[in-house]
Amino acid sequence: VNELIEVEKSLKAEIYPVFPESSKSLLKKYLTKELFEQLKHVKDNTGYTLQQLIASGLANPDSSIGVYAGSTDSYKVFAPLLDKIIEDYHNHGIDAKHVQSWDISAQNFEDFNTKHGGDFVVSTRVRIARNLAKVPLGTNISTEQRREVERLANQAFSSFEGELKGTYYALGKLTAAEKKQLKEDHFLFKEGDRFLKSCGCERDWPESRGIFHNPQKTFLVWVNEEDQFRIISMQNGGNLREVFERLAKAHEIINQHAEFSITDHLGAITTCPTNLGTGMRASVHVKLPLLSADEKRFKSIAEKHHLDIRGIDGEHSESKGGIFDVSNKRRLGHSEAQLAVDMYNGVNELIEVEKSLR
Ligand code: ADP
Ligand code: CIR
C-alpha cells in the first residue's frame, strides 16, 4: 500500500515512478528514466498524457503489460515506449506490416468433437475488437462521443438480417439478475475490472454501454467496454468454421457502417496493445482434465502453437472441472484466418494428448 501511495505521488509530481519489486510488467521493463523524461510532457492529439497511458500499470503492480492507449495517435506520439512493448509482446518490429484475411476456404476446420469422437469442446467463440477512427479510445472518450458511438452502433445493428438480427440492451436498463445470468452464461463482459478502472475506461459507467445479441445468442456485440466494439460469434460445440464464418460476415456488414481505425503497421487499433492487429481471440472451452494435471506438458504444447490458456470465466479467472479456455495468443502481423488455424491445430494436438492419457 505504501508503495502504491509513493507511485501516485510521483505520478502527480511528474517524477519517474518507483516500480514495486514484485512488478513484472512490460511497462516497468521499458519505461527507463530517460524515456520518462523524454515523454513526460507529451500529449497525443486527443490530449492523452503519458501519466494516463501508464496509470493502470502503476496502480496494478501485477499488470503484465501496464499501459492503455488513449487514441490512434497515442501509438504514434508514445511510440518510443509503445513500440518496445509491441515488439516484445507481438514480436512485431517497427517496420513490420499487419496482414488481413478472413479467407479460410483452404482449411478443413472439421468439428473438434466429430473429429475426435467425444464431447471435448463445450463451446467455441471468436471475438474481434474494433474502434472508430475519428474518436478517442474508451480511456479518453467524452460522454458525448461515447453516446455517439452507441448511436452509430445501433444504426449498424438495424441493418442486420437473417441470423444476425437481434436486439440491443443498454447496460443501465438490465436488472442485476439479468446481468448476472448473462455473465454466468459467458455472454456479457464483467464490470469493475480494476485494470480498466484505473485507465479511465469505466468513467460514466454504465452510460452508453450495452450488449446486442440475436435471440439464439450466437452473435453478440459489446458496445463501449474496453473497446468500442467487441464483435462476437459463439455457439455450443466445436464447429469453428461456422463460428468464424458468422463473424466474418458480421464484420463485413458493420464495416460498411463504421469507419474503424486501422493502420498498415498495427492493423486494428485497440485500447490495450495486446489486442492490436486482428483484435481477434478465437477460443474453445475444452475439457482437458488429464493433460492439465501435467502443467508443464500442457503449457509446452500451448506455447508451441502460440496458444493462451485462461480459466472459463475469462481473463484472470480460474479453471473449473478441468475445463480451460484455450485461444490464439498472437493478434498482430498474422491474418484472422491464420490465427484461427493456430487455434485449430493447437486444440487438436491438446485433445490428441488428452485421449492418449486415458
Ligand atoms: P475477451 O474474450 O473479450 O478477451 P474474456 O477472456 O474476459 O474477454 O472473456 C469474455 C467472456 O467470454 C467470459 O465470460 C468467457 O468465459 C467467455 N468465453 C470466452 N471463450 C469462450 C468459449 N469458447 N465458450 C464460451 N464462453 C467463452
Ligand atoms: C495487464 O497489463 O495485465 C492488464 N492491463 C491486462 C492486459 C491484457 N489485456 C487485456 O485484457 N486487454
Side-chain angles (χ1 to χ4, degrees):
V1 174
N2 279 340
E3 271 180 334
L4 278 183
I5 294 170
E6 284 308 310
V7 163
E8 269 172 33
K9 268 200 229 155
S10 64
L11 256 184
K12 281 208 185 88
E14 298 187 351
I15 298 168
Y16 181 62
V18 195
F19 288 94
E21 188 77 43
S22 60
S23 171
K24 297 203 168 47
S25 66
L26 294 183
L27 171 64
K28 178 179 171 182
K29 186 167 169 188
Y30 293 112
L31 186 67
T32 58
K33 184 147 196 326
E34 292 67 42
L35 255 188
F36 182 83
E37 292 304 323
Q38 180 189 334
L39 296 174
K40 74 179 185 189
H41 293 130
V42 169
K43 286 183 180 167
D44 72 12
N45 65 9
T46 67
Y48 199 67
T49 62
L50 175 72
Q51 286 70 24
Q52 289 173 290
L53 185 88
I54 68 179
S56 184
L58 297 179
N60 301 285
D62 56 339
S63 291
S64 53
I65 313 300
V67 295
Y68 288 96
S71 73
T72 303
D73 193 51
S74 288
Y75 287 100
K76 284 198 197 121
V77 301
F78 300 113
L81 171 64
L82 294 182
D83 281 348
K84 293 200 175 75
I85 292 177
I86 291 165
E87 178 147 20
D88 188 311
Y89 186 85
H90 292 284
N91 197 16
H92 189 79
I94 49 170
D95 297 322
K97 295 265 177 278
H98 180 64
V99 278
Q100 251 205 67
S101 168
W102 288 87
D103 183 5
I104 55 161
S105 57
Q107 309 304 327
N108 71 342
F109 282 178
E110 194 181 343
D111 185 298
F112 289 114
N113 294 332
T114 316
K115 184 176 171 73
H116 296 284
D119 59 343
F120 293 94
V121 171
V122 180
S123 51
T124 304
R125 173 182 186 263
V126 187
R127 61 89 162 155
I128 53 168
R130 291 289 183 275
N131 293 279
L132 299 180
K134 296 209 172 105
V135 278
L137 296 165
T139 46
N140 200 28
I141 198 168
S142 72
T143 310
E144 260 317 303
Q145 288 166 323
R146 198 187 295 108
R147 234 174 252 149
E148 183 57 19
V149 172
E150 187 186 37
R151 196 190 60 78
L152 213 140
N154 274 286
Q155 227 173 46
F157 299 155
S158 65
S159 74
F160 286 134
E161 285 172 3
E163 191 196 14
L164 301 181
K165 236 177 149 61
T167 310
Y168 179 74
Y169 302 88
L171 191 65
K173 288 192 185 142
L174 289 172
T175 66
E178 284 168 333
K179 285 194 285 188
K180 183 166 175 278
Q181 192 62 53
L182 282 168
K183 278 176 213 156
E184 276 174 14
D185 295 341
H186 306 291
F187 296 125
L188 184 62
F189 45 81
K190 52 182 188 268
E191 296 178 72
D193 180 284
R194 65 191 157 89
F195 299 92
L196 291 180
K197 220 171 194 149
S198 42
C199 66
C201 236
E202 302 213 341
R203 289 167 303 128
D204 298 334
W205 196 272
E207 223 186 288
S208 304
R209 274 73 174 199
I211 179 172
F212 166 91
H213 64 76
N214 64 1
Q216 313 87 295
K217 300 197 189 76
T218 54
F219 171 60
L220 310 95
V221 186
W222 295 351
V223 177
N224 284 321
E225 194 242 0
E226 177 176 326
D227 292 293
Q228 290 157 7
F229 292 79
R230 285 286 178 103
I231 311 168
I232 303 162
S233 169
M234 63 197 281
Q235 67 194 43
N236 287 334
N239 195 329
L240 176 60
R241 170 177 298 283
E242 272 180 26
V243 172
F244 187 91
E245 283 177 344
R246 184 186 301 118
L247 182 65
K249 190 162 102 195
H251 169 253
E252 205 178 300
I253 297 171
I254 300 188
N255 223 352
Q256 291 162 7
H257 292 265
E259 192 195 324
F260 291 133
S261 182
I262 309 277
T263 75
D264 286 348
H265 172 47
L266 296 176
I269 296 299
T270 54
T271 309
C272 179
T274 60
N275 285 314
L276 288 166
T278 56
M280 185 177 113
R281 195 168 84 85
S283 64
V284 287
H285 279 181
V286 56
K287 295 180 194 161
L288 301 167
L290 303 173
L291 172 57
S292 61
D294 184 349
E295 201 180 327
K296 215 173 135 203
R297 191 167 182 198
F298 187 20
K299 282 195 175 156
S300 101
I301 300 170
E303 210 162 289
K304 176 172 127 197
H305 292 279
H306 312 287
L307 299 181
D308 191 20
I309 303 167
R310 300 183 178 184
I312 61 159
D313 292 315
E315 193 168 31
H316 309 117
S317 74
E318 297 293 319
S319 150
K320 281 179 203 151
I323 305 175
F324 291 83
D325 174 329
V326 176
S327 61
N328 62 291
K329 191 170 200 160
R330 307 196 290 187
R331 310 256 191 277
L332 175 60
H334 308 273
S335 69
E336 289 80 0
Q338 176 57 48
L339 299 184
V341 171
D342 278 1
M343 195 273 263
Y344 182 71
N345 290 342
V347 169
N348 278 324
E349 183 168 343
L350 291 170
I351 297 174
E352 284 298 342
V353 175
E354 177 70 19
K355 283 204 297 195
S356 75
L357 294 171
R358 278 178 169 177

